[in-house]
């Protein structure tokens, strides 16, 4: 609202100052409210960026740790706690310097990791039973005099 507009519509000069003062207070109130919302937006945005960064770090750490074998759950928890405290940089969803961190942790606490020496993988163990021949093959085997 401008003074010229008010004088054009017939507002008396004595009331003009009072109307302009009310208008000024109203504008200041809206400016203060806008400032509060802007500050809240800034705080919320910073909090969400921090939360997103923490989630990215946790995901990268989980995927990096998944390839390691630990001697116990408590050893894994201690390793993860130190990894989180180390705050390694995340680049392309991977932790930069993770291999160096693991090597230094292995030197500091070698018992935390499960050893692979002397262990051969077992895929299938023999059952020890005799095979059971059922179905159409059993009749054919019996016709030719073959053992079950």
């Amino acid at each position: 609202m401008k003074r010229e507009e008010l004088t054009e519509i017939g507002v008396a000069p004595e009331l003009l100052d009072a109307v302009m003062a009310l208008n000024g207070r109203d504008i200041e109130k809206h400016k203060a409210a806008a400032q509060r919302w802007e500050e809240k937006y800034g705080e919320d945005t910073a909090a969400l960026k921090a939360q997103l960064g923490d989630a990215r770090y946790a995901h990268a750490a989980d995927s990096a740790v998944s390839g390691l074998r630990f001697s116990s759950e408590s050893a894994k928890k201690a390793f993860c706690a130190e990894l989180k405290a180390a705050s390694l940089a995340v680049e392309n969803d991977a932790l930069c310097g993770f291999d160096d961190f693991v090597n230094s942790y292995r030197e500091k606490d070698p018992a935390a990791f499960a050893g692979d020496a002397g262990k051969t993988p077992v895929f299938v163990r023999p059952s020890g039973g005799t095979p059971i021949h059922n179905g159409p093959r059993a009749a054919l085997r019996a016709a030719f005099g073959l053992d079950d």
Side-chain angles (χ1 to χ4, degrees), residues 65-90:
V65 169
S66 68
L68 300 174
R69 291 186 46 207
F70 294 94
S71 60
S72 67
E73 269 307 302
S74 60
K76 183 177 181 179
K77 286 179 184 178
F79 178 84
C80 290
E82 285 199 30
L83 181 62
K84 185 176 181 180
S87 298
L88 300 176
V90 178

Side-chain angles (χ1 to χ4, degrees), residues 23-58:
N23 186 39
R25 277 187 270 163
D26 206 27
I27 289 173
E28 291 303 316
K29 182 173 70 172
H30 288 297
K31 283 182 180 179
Q35 180 66 29
R36 284 193 305 273
W37 279 106
E38 189 174 335
E39 289 170 2
K40 182 174 177 6
Y41 170 78
E43 292 168 0
D44 290 349
T45 302
L48 287 174
K49 283 182 180 180
Q51 189 177 11
L52 181 61
D54 291 345
R56 282 185 66 212
Y57 188 85

Side-chain angles (χ1 to χ4, degrees), residues 109-125:
D109 187 10
F113 297 93
D116 294 331
K119 292 186 180 181
T120 56
V122 176
F123 296 103
V124 177
R125 296 195 186 274

